[in-house]
Amino acid sequence: MKKKILLFDGLSIANRAFYGIPLLTNKEGRYTNAVYGFLNIMISMIEKEKPDLVGVAFDVSAPTFRHIQNVEYKGTRKGMPQELREQIPLLKEVLALMNVHILQKEGFEADDILGTLAKAGERDGYNMVVVSGDRDLLQITSEDIELKIPKTKQQGTEIESYFAKDVVEKYEVSPLEFIDVKGLMGDASDNIKGVPGIGEKTAIKLIKHYQSI
């Protein structure tokens, strides 16, 4: 039986927890709703998946290679709310006390770390489960790499799960072709311009016909 590695996108899941749960504070007045929501998701996933190893990847504040290539990258994003920002060090403290591996590297985003480790783990014979709210990671899915996308609401958390076959079923393109779909349509959240006039439906239609850009 294959061993399993469970990886989390730290800021992505904390961000979803922060907006999905009302503000909470501890007795010292520190905000805790993102930490609480993140840990609920993580513990629930660990109990369900029973992984052999667990890691959480974080972005760092230093510019990445994408910022160097394109100064406008993520230029339209609003800054992280202070109520969330001050919870990230607390979250890392708790994870360290739980002996959960914290993964981060200057110049790279959490996505890069997650994708790299997922592919390396697959090559080494592991089943890989990646938990993130970023659909860009659909491109790394395969028979042995599963992407789980949680949606946190006050009444609970719903999970969308994707292997490669599920990407094909929903988007009608393979995970590798999904990269070119994103290239054509762009990504407003990252301030990446696509081809003018081409949205998701047209991009999928073009890639289905031509297979690549």
Side-chain angles (χ1 to χ4, degrees):
M1 185 174 180
K2 286 186 175 182
K3 290 187 175 182
K4 182 183 291 185
I5 298 177
L6 178 60
L7 300 173
F8 292 86
D9 186 338
L11 291 184
S12 172
I13 303 305
N15 187 72
R16 285 177 176 247
F18 176 78
Y19 286 106
I21 299 173
L23 284 175
L24 302 171
T25 57
N26 64 11
K27 61 183 180 181
E28 286 85 27
R30 297 179 72 180
Y31 292 105
T32 57
N33 62 318
V35 176
Y36 171 76
F38 182 98
L39 293 176
N40 274 347
I41 292 171
M42 187 183 76
I43 292 169
S44 173
M45 294 291 295
I46 290 172
E47 290 176 347
K48 180 179 179 181
E49 298 294 332
K50 297 179 172 54
D52 297 278
L53 294 169
V54 179
V56 181
F58 285 94
D59 298 316
V60 295
S61 58
T64 69
F65 67 91
R66 294 181 181 86
H67 293 93
I68 295 170
Q69 292 175 354
N70 179 6
V71 294
E72 296 181 354
Y73 179 62
K74 292 188 176 179
T76 56
R77 283 202 181 182
K78 296 179 180 178
M80 184 186 297
Q82 183 59 33
E83 295 89 344
L84 172 58
R85 184 183 302 279
E86 65 184 54
Q87 294 186 59
I88 303 306
L90 177 59
L91 174 59
K92 290 181 179 179
E93 286 178 31
V94 175
L95 293 173
L97 290 170
M98 296 173 69
N99 292 319
V100 173
H101 297 282
I102 295 175
L103 312 161
Q104 54 190 31
K105 184 173 178 60
E106 188 171 311
F108 296 90
E109 297 183 7
D111 292 3
D112 303 315
I113 296 170
L114 294 169
T116 300
L117 290 178
K119 290 298 183 182
E122 180 184 37
R123 287 194 299 270
D124 289 342
Y126 289 89
N127 283 325
M128 305 298 298
V129 180
V130 178
V131 185
S132 174
D134 193 341
R135 291 180 184 274
D136 288 353
L137 285 167
L138 289 169
Q139 65 188 268
I140 70 170
T141 56
S142 68
E143 291 183 3
D144 298 307
I145 301 175
E146 181 182 12
L147 175 65
K148 290 186 176 290
I149 302 176
K151 294 185 175 181
T152 302
K153 302 176 182 179
Q154 290 189 27
Q155 61 268 34
T157 300
E158 300 173 358
I159 305 287
E160 293 181 15
S161 296
Y162 293 92
F163 287 100
K165 62 181 178 62
D166 303 305
V167 176
V168 174
E169 182 178 338
K170 180 163 185 174
Y171 293 96
E172 302 180 68
V173 295
S174 71
L176 283 178
E177 290 171 337
F178 186 75
I179 298 171
D180 283 346
V181 168
K182 294 290 288 188
L184 285 173
M185 62 185 283
D187 190 336
S189 67
D190 287 340
N191 199 31
I192 296 176
K193 296 178 175 60
V195 178
I198 294 185
E200 184 178 284
K201 289 184 179 178
T202 303
I204 289 172
K205 183 177 180 181
L206 288 169
I207 296 304
K208 280 178 63 180
H209 183 77
Y210 294 104
Q211 283 77 59
S212 72
I213 291 177

PDB file of all heavy atoms in Angstrom, residues 99-126:
ATOM      1  N   ASN A  99       4.407  19.651  15.605  1.00  0.00           N
ATOM      2  CA  ASN A  99       5.413  18.942  14.807  1.00  0.00           C
ATOM      3  C   ASN A  99       5.001  18.782  13.346  1.00  0.00           C
ATOM      4  O   ASN A  99       5.325  17.772  12.696  1.00  0.00           O
ATOM      5  CB  ASN A  99       5.739  17.570  15.413  1.00  0.00           C
ATOM      6  CG  ASN A  99       6.462  17.688  16.745  1.00  0.00           C
ATOM      7  OD1 ASN A  99       7.349  18.530  16.907  1.00  0.00           O
ATOM      8  ND2 ASN A  99       6.076  16.866  17.703  1.00  0.00           N
ATOM      9  N   VAL A 100       4.281  19.778  12.828  1.00  0.00           N
ATOM     10  CA  VAL A 100       3.911  19.810  11.409  1.00  0.00           C
ATOM     11  C   VAL A 100       5.011  20.549  10.657  1.00  0.00           C
ATOM     12  O   VAL A 100       5.434  21.633  11.068  1.00  0.00           O
ATOM     13  CB  VAL A 100       2.550  20.513  11.213  1.00  0.00           C
ATOM     14  CG1 VAL A 100       2.251  20.696   9.731  1.00  0.00           C
ATOM     15  CG2 VAL A 100       1.437  19.713  11.876  1.00  0.00           C
ATOM     16  N   HIS A 101       5.463  19.994   9.546  1.00  0.00           N
ATOM     17  CA  HIS A 101       6.525  20.614   8.763  1.00  0.00           C
ATOM     18  C   HIS A 101       6.035  21.930   8.147  1.00  0.00           C
ATOM     19  O   HIS A 101       4.990  21.967   7.492  1.00  0.00           O
ATOM     20  CB  HIS A 101       6.974  19.681   7.637  1.00  0.00           C
ATOM     21  CG  HIS A 101       7.572  18.400   8.125  1.00  0.00           C
ATOM     22  ND1 HIS A 101       8.853  18.303   8.608  1.00  0.00           N
ATOM     23  CD2 HIS A 101       7.040  17.149   8.221  1.00  0.00           C
ATOM     24  CE1 HIS A 101       9.100  17.060   8.962  1.00  0.00           C
ATOM     25  NE2 HIS A 101       8.014  16.337   8.749  1.00  0.00           N
ATOM     26  N   ILE A 102       6.782  23.017   8.347  1.00  0.00           N
ATOM     27  CA  ILE A 102       6.486  24.317   7.736  1.00  0.00           C
ATOM     28  C   ILE A 102       7.444  24.498   6.564  1.00  0.00           C
ATOM     29  O   ILE A 102       8.667  24.395   6.710  1.00  0.00           O
ATOM     30  CB  ILE A 102       6.637  25.451   8.753  1.00  0.00           C
ATOM     31  CG1 ILE A 102       5.593  25.292   9.858  1.00  0.00           C
ATOM     32  CG2 ILE A 102       6.495  26.814   8.085  1.00  0.00           C
ATOM     33  CD1 ILE A 102       5.718  26.277  10.994  1.00  0.00           C
ATOM     34  N   LEU A 103       6.891  24.744   5.387  1.00  0.00           N
ATOM     35  CA  LEU A 103       7.658  24.785   4.144  1.00  0.00           C
ATOM     36  C   LEU A 103       7.572  26.175   3.532  1.00  0.00           C
ATOM     37  O   LEU A 103       6.476  26.653   3.218  1.00  0.00           O
ATOM     38  CB  LEU A 103       7.103  23.745   3.167  1.00  0.00           C
ATOM     39  CG  LEU A 103       6.868  22.345   3.755  1.00  0.00           C
ATOM     40  CD1 LEU A 103       5.908  21.552   2.893  1.00  0.00           C
ATOM     41  CD2 LEU A 103       8.191  21.616   3.919  1.00  0.00           C
ATOM     42  N   GLN A 104       8.695  26.841   3.360  1.00  0.00           N
ATOM     43  CA  GLN A 104       8.716  28.154   2.715  1.00  0.00           C
ATOM     44  C   GLN A 104      10.116  28.427   2.187  1.00  0.00           C
ATOM     45  O   GLN A 104      11.101  27.947   2.730  1.00  0.00           O
ATOM     46  CB  GLN A 104       8.281  29.256   3.683  1.00  0.00           C
ATOM     47  CG  GLN A 104       9.049  29.321   4.988  1.00  0.00           C
ATOM     48  CD  GLN A 104       8.409  30.262   5.991  1.00  0.00           C
ATOM     49  OE1 GLN A 104       7.203  30.443   6.030  1.00  0.00           O
ATOM     50  NE2 GLN A 104       9.230  30.870   6.830  1.00  0.00           N
ATOM     51  N   LYS A 105      10.183  29.200   1.099  1.00  0.00           N
ATOM     52  CA  LYS A 105      11.481  29.512   0.488  1.00  0.00           C
ATOM     53  C   LYS A 105      11.399  30.868  -0.195  1.00  0.00           C
ATOM     54  O   LYS A 105      10.487  31.122  -0.988  1.00  0.00           O
ATOM     55  CB  LYS A 105      11.867  28.439  -0.526  1.00  0.00           C
ATOM     56  CG  LYS A 105      13.258  28.644  -1.140  1.00  0.00           C
ATOM     57  CD  LYS A 105      13.640  27.469  -2.003  1.00  0.00           C
ATOM     58  CE  LYS A 105      14.998  27.686  -2.663  1.00  0.00           C
ATOM     59  NZ  LYS A 105      16.092  27.857  -1.674  1.00  0.00           N
ATOM     60  N   GLU A 106      12.326  31.739   0.131  1.00  0.00           N
ATOM     61  CA  GLU A 106      12.353  33.072  -0.457  1.00  0.00           C
ATOM     62  C   GLU A 106      12.484  32.978  -1.973  1.00  0.00           C
ATOM     63  O   GLU A 106      13.250  32.175  -2.500  1.00  0.00           O
ATOM     64  CB  GLU A 106      13.538  33.859   0.115  1.00  0.00           C
ATOM     65  CG  GLU A 106      13.537  35.326  -0.280  1.00  0.00           C
ATOM     66  CD  GLU A 106      14.589  36.123   0.477  1.00  0.00           C
ATOM     67  OE1 GLU A 106      14.647  35.993   1.715  1.00  0.00           O
ATOM     68  OE2 GLU A 106      15.348  36.861  -0.191  1.00  0.00           O
ATOM     69  N   GLY A 107      11.697  33.801  -2.672  1.00  0.00           N
ATOM     70  CA  GLY A 107      11.720  33.808  -4.131  1.00  0.00           C
ATOM     71  C   GLY A 107      10.671  32.921  -4.766  1.00  0.00           C
ATOM     72  O   GLY A 107      10.493  32.946  -5.988  1.00  0.00           O
ATOM     73  N   PHE A 108       9.976  32.133  -3.947  1.00  0.00           N
ATOM     74  CA  PHE A 108       8.965  31.212  -4.467  1.00  0.00           C
ATOM     75  C   PHE A 108       7.671  31.338  -3.671  1.00  0.00           C
ATOM     76  O   PHE A 108       7.680  31.720  -2.505  1.00  0.00           O
ATOM     77  CB  PHE A 108       9.469  29.767  -4.402  1.00  0.00           C
ATOM     78  CG  PHE A 108      10.656  29.509  -5.271  1.00  0.00           C
ATOM     79  CD1 PHE A 108      11.942  29.679  -4.770  1.00  0.00           C
ATOM     80  CD2 PHE A 108      10.489  29.130  -6.592  1.00  0.00           C
ATOM     81  CE1 PHE A 108      13.051  29.466  -5.571  1.00  0.00           C
ATOM     82  CE2 PHE A 108      11.597  28.908  -7.399  1.00  0.00           C
ATOM     83  CZ  PHE A 108      12.874  29.079  -6.896  1.00  0.00           C
ATOM     84  N   GLU A 109       6.558  31.005  -4.328  1.00  0.00           N
ATOM     85  CA  GLU A 109       5.266  31.022  -3.666  1.00  0.00           C
ATOM     86  C   GLU A 109       4.952  29.634  -3.102  1.00  0.00           C
ATOM     87  O   GLU A 109       5.574  28.635  -3.493  1.00  0.00           O
ATOM     88  CB  GLU A 109       4.173  31.441  -4.653  1.00  0.00           C
ATOM     89  CG  GLU A 109       4.361  32.850  -5.195  1.00  0.00           C
ATOM     90  CD  GLU A 109       3.231  33.265  -6.118  1.00  0.00           C
ATOM     91  OE1 GLU A 109       2.245  32.510  -6.235  1.00  0.00           O
ATOM     92  OE2 GLU A 109       3.335  34.343  -6.711  1.00  0.00           O
ATOM     93  N   ALA A 110       3.976  29.589  -2.232  1.00  0.00           N
ATOM     94  CA  ALA A 110       3.543  28.306  -1.683  1.00  0.00           C
ATOM     95  C   ALA A 110       3.131  27.360  -2.806  1.00  0.00           C
ATOM     96  O   ALA A 110       3.400  26.151  -2.749  1.00  0.00           O
ATOM     97  CB  ALA A 110       2.384  28.509  -0.705  1.00  0.00           C
ATOM     98  N   ASP A 111       2.479  27.876  -3.848  1.00  0.00           N
ATOM     99  CA  ASP A 111       2.074  27.056  -4.993  1.00  0.00           C
ATOM    100  C   ASP A 111       3.260  26.317  -5.596  1.00  0.00           C
ATOM    101  O   ASP A 111       3.159  25.143  -5.963  1.00  0.00           O
ATOM    102  CB  ASP A 111       1.469  27.928  -6.102  1.00  0.00           C
ATOM    103  CG  ASP A 111       0.144  28.533  -5.713  1.00  0.00           C
ATOM    104  OD1 ASP A 111      -0.280  28.324  -4.567  1.00  0.00           O
ATOM    105  OD2 ASP A 111      -0.453  29.217  -6.546  1.00  0.00           O
ATOM    106  N   ASP A 112       4.383  27.034  -5.750  1.00  0.00           N
ATOM    107  CA  ASP A 112       5.574  26.434  -6.345  1.00  0.00           C
ATOM    108  C   ASP A 112       6.086  25.284  -5.490  1.00  0.00           C
ATOM    109  O   ASP A 112       6.473  24.227  -6.006  1.00  0.00           O
ATOM    110  CB  ASP A 112       6.693  27.486  -6.495  1.00  0.00           C
ATOM    111  CG  ASP A 112       6.263  28.685  -7.319  1.00  0.00           C
ATOM    112  OD1 ASP A 112       5.639  28.474  -8.377  1.00  0.00           O
ATOM    113  OD2 ASP A 112       6.540  29.823  -6.906  1.00  0.00           O
ATOM    114  N   ILE A 113       6.076  25.491  -4.189  1.00  0.00           N
ATOM    115  CA  ILE A 113       6.540  24.454  -3.255  1.00  0.00           C
ATOM    116  C   ILE A 113       5.600  23.250  -3.298  1.00  0.00           C
ATOM    117  O   ILE A 113       6.032  22.099  -3.379  1.00  0.00           O
ATOM    118  CB  ILE A 113       6.627  25.027  -1.829  1.00  0.00           C
ATOM    119  CG1 ILE A 113       7.679  26.135  -1.778  1.00  0.00           C
ATOM    120  CG2 ILE A 113       6.950  23.927  -0.823  1.00  0.00           C
ATOM    121  CD1 ILE A 113       7.679  26.925  -0.477  1.00  0.00           C
ATOM    122  N   LEU A 114       4.306  23.511  -3.274  1.00  0.00           N
ATOM    123  CA  LEU A 114       3.322  22.434  -3.290  1.00  0.00           C
ATOM    124  C   LEU A 114       3.410  21.621  -4.571  1.00  0.00           C
ATOM    125  O   LEU A 114       3.393  20.380  -4.548  1.00  0.00           O
ATOM    126  CB  LEU A 114       1.914  23.008  -3.127  1.00  0.00           C
ATOM    127  CG  LEU A 114       1.609  23.666  -1.782  1.00  0.00           C
ATOM    128  CD1 LEU A 114       0.291  24.432  -1.857  1.00  0.00           C
ATOM    129  CD2 LEU A 114       1.560  22.631  -0.674  1.00  0.00           C
ATOM    130  N   GLY A 115       3.493  22.304  -5.708  1.00  0.00           N
ATOM    131  CA  GLY A 115       3.575  21.607  -6.984  1.00  0.00           C
ATOM    132  C   GLY A 115       4.842  20.782  -7.106  1.00  0.00           C
ATOM    133  O   GLY A 115       4.814  19.630  -7.572  1.00  0.00           O
ATOM    134  N   THR A 116       5.965  21.367  -6.676  1.00  0.00           N
ATOM    135  CA  THR A 116       7.247  20.667  -6.749  1.00  0.00           C
ATOM    136  C   THR A 116       7.245  19.419  -5.877  1.00  0.00           C
ATOM    137  O   THR A 116       7.647  18.325  -6.310  1.00  0.00           O
ATOM    138  CB  THR A 116       8.398  21.599  -6.318  1.00  0.00           C
ATOM    139  OG1 THR A 116       8.432  22.730  -7.192  1.00  0.00           O
ATOM    140  CG2 THR A 116       9.732  20.882  -6.379  1.00  0.00           C
ATOM    141  N   LEU A 117       6.773  19.551  -4.632  1.00  0.00           N
ATOM    142  CA  LEU A 117       6.748  18.408  -3.724  1.00  0.00           C
ATOM    143  C   LEU A 117       5.745  17.345  -4.169  1.00  0.00           C
ATOM    144  O   LEU A 117       5.994  16.145  -4.022  1.00  0.00           O
ATOM    145  CB  LEU A 117       6.427  18.876  -2.306  1.00  0.00           C
ATOM    146  CG  LEU A 117       7.519  19.685  -1.606  1.00  0.00           C
ATOM    147  CD1 LEU A 117       7.048  20.132  -0.223  1.00  0.00           C
ATOM    148  CD2 LEU A 117       8.799  18.872  -1.463  1.00  0.00           C
ATOM    149  N   ALA A 118       4.612  17.782  -4.712  1.00  0.00           N
ATOM    150  CA  ALA A 118       3.604  16.830  -5.175  1.00  0.00           C
ATOM    151  C   ALA A 118       4.158  15.962  -6.301  1.00  0.00           C
ATOM    152  O   ALA A 118       3.999  14.733  -6.294  1.00  0.00           O
ATOM    153  CB  ALA A 118       2.350  17.560  -5.633  1.00  0.00           C
ATOM    154  N   LYS A 119       4.831  16.581  -7.259  1.00  0.00           N
ATOM    155  CA  LYS A 119       5.402  15.834  -8.376  1.00  0.00           C
ATOM    156  C   LYS A 119       6.564  14.951  -7.920  1.00  0.00           C
ATOM    157  O   LYS A 119       6.725  13.815  -8.388  1.00  0.00           O
ATOM    158  CB  LYS A 119       5.851  16.792  -9.474  1.00  0.00           C
ATOM    159  CG  LYS A 119       4.715  17.477 -10.215  1.00  0.00           C
ATOM    160  CD  LYS A 119       3.844  16.456 -10.940  1.00  0.00           C
ATOM    161  CE  LYS A 119       2.737  17.113 -11.747  1.00  0.00           C
ATOM    162  NZ  LYS A 119       1.853  16.109 -12.412  1.00  0.00           N
ATOM    163  N   ALA A 120       7.391  15.463  -6.995  1.00  0.00           N
ATOM    164  CA  ALA A 120       8.505  14.666  -6.480  1.00  0.00           C
ATOM    165  C   ALA A 120       7.982  13.462  -5.696  1.00  0.00           C
ATOM    166  O   ALA A 120       8.497  12.342  -5.827  1.00  0.00           O
ATOM    167  CB  ALA A 120       9.396  15.528  -5.592  1.00  0.00           C
ATOM    168  N   GLY A 121       6.947  13.699  -4.887  1.00  0.00           N
ATOM    169  CA  GLY A 121       6.360  12.606  -4.124  1.00  0.00           C
ATOM    170  C   GLY A 121       5.739  11.549  -5.026  1.00  0.00           C
ATOM    171  O   GLY A 121       5.864  10.345  -4.775  1.00  0.00           O
ATOM    172  N   GLU A 122       5.083  11.996  -6.086  1.00  0.00           N
ATOM    173  CA  GLU A 122       4.497  11.061  -7.048  1.00  0.00           C
ATOM    174  C   GLU A 122       5.586  10.190  -7.672  1.00  0.00           C
ATOM    175  O   GLU A 122       5.428   8.966  -7.784  1.00  0.00           O
ATOM    176  CB  GLU A 122       3.748  11.836  -8.131  1.00  0.00           C
ATOM    177  CG  GLU A 122       3.106  10.942  -9.191  1.00  0.00           C
ATOM    178  CD  GLU A 122       2.465  11.743 -10.305  1.00  0.00           C
ATOM    179  OE1 GLU A 122       3.027  12.798 -10.684  1.00  0.00           O
ATOM    180  OE2 GLU A 122       1.420  11.313 -10.803  1.00  0.00           O
ATOM    181  N   ARG A 123       6.696  10.805  -8.065  1.00  0.00           N
ATOM    182  CA  ARG A 123       7.800  10.046  -8.664  1.00  0.00           C
ATOM    183  C   ARG A 123       8.374   9.027  -7.681  1.00  0.00           C
ATOM    184  O   ARG A 123       8.831   7.957  -8.082  1.00  0.00           O
ATOM    185  CB  ARG A 123       8.912  10.994  -9.130  1.00  0.00           C
ATOM    186  CG  ARG A 123       8.577  11.792 -10.367  1.00  0.00           C
ATOM    187  CD  ARG A 123       9.810  12.444 -10.958  1.00  0.00           C
ATOM    188  NE  ARG A 123      10.446  13.371 -10.030  1.00  0.00           N
ATOM    189  CZ  ARG A 123      10.150  14.664  -9.947  1.00  0.00           C
ATOM    190  NH1 ARG A 123       9.198  15.176 -10.715  1.00  0.00           N
ATOM    191  NH2 ARG A 123      10.787  15.451  -9.092  1.00  0.00           N
ATOM    192  N   ASP A 124       8.327   9.349  -6.390  1.00  0.00           N
ATOM    193  CA  ASP A 124       8.866   8.451  -5.371  1.00  0.00           C
ATOM    194  C   ASP A 124       7.851   7.422  -4.878  1.00  0.00           C
ATOM    195  O   ASP A 124       8.121   6.676  -3.933  1.00  0.00           O
ATOM    196  CB  ASP A 124       9.396   9.266  -4.187  1.00  0.00           C
ATOM    197  CG  ASP A 124      10.678  10.019  -4.532  1.00  0.00           C
ATOM    198  OD1 ASP A 124      11.332   9.659  -5.535  1.00  0.00           O
ATOM    199  OD2 ASP A 124      11.012  10.967  -3.795  1.00  0.00           O
ATOM    200  N   GLY A 125       6.669   7.410  -5.498  1.00  0.00           N
ATOM    201  CA  GLY A 125       5.691   6.375  -5.192  1.00  0.00           C
ATOM    202  C   GLY A 125       4.680   6.697  -4.113  1.00  0.00           C
ATOM    203  O   GLY A 125       4.000   5.795  -3.607  1.00  0.00           O
ATOM    204  N   TYR A 126       4.554   7.980  -3.743  1.00  0.00           N
ATOM    205  CA  TYR A 126       3.573   8.380  -2.731  1.00  0.00           C
ATOM    206  C   TYR A 126       2.244   8.763  -3.382  1.00  0.00           C
ATOM    207  O   TYR A 126       2.199   9.224  -4.538  1.00  0.00           O
ATOM    208  CB  TYR A 126       4.068   9.587  -1.944  1.00  0.00           C
ATOM    209  CG  TYR A 126       5.200   9.313  -0.994  1.00  0.00           C
ATOM    210  CD1 TYR A 126       6.525   9.407  -1.410  1.00  0.00           C
ATOM    211  CD2 TYR A 126       4.945   8.964   0.335  1.00  0.00           C
ATOM    212  CE1 TYR A 126       7.571   9.169  -0.532  1.00  0.00           C
ATOM    213  CE2 TYR A 126       5.990   8.719   1.222  1.00  0.00           C
ATOM    214  CZ  TYR A 126       7.298   8.825   0.777  1.00  0.00           C
ATOM    215  OH  TYR A 126       8.328   8.585   1.639  1.00  0.00           O
TER     216      TYR A 126
END
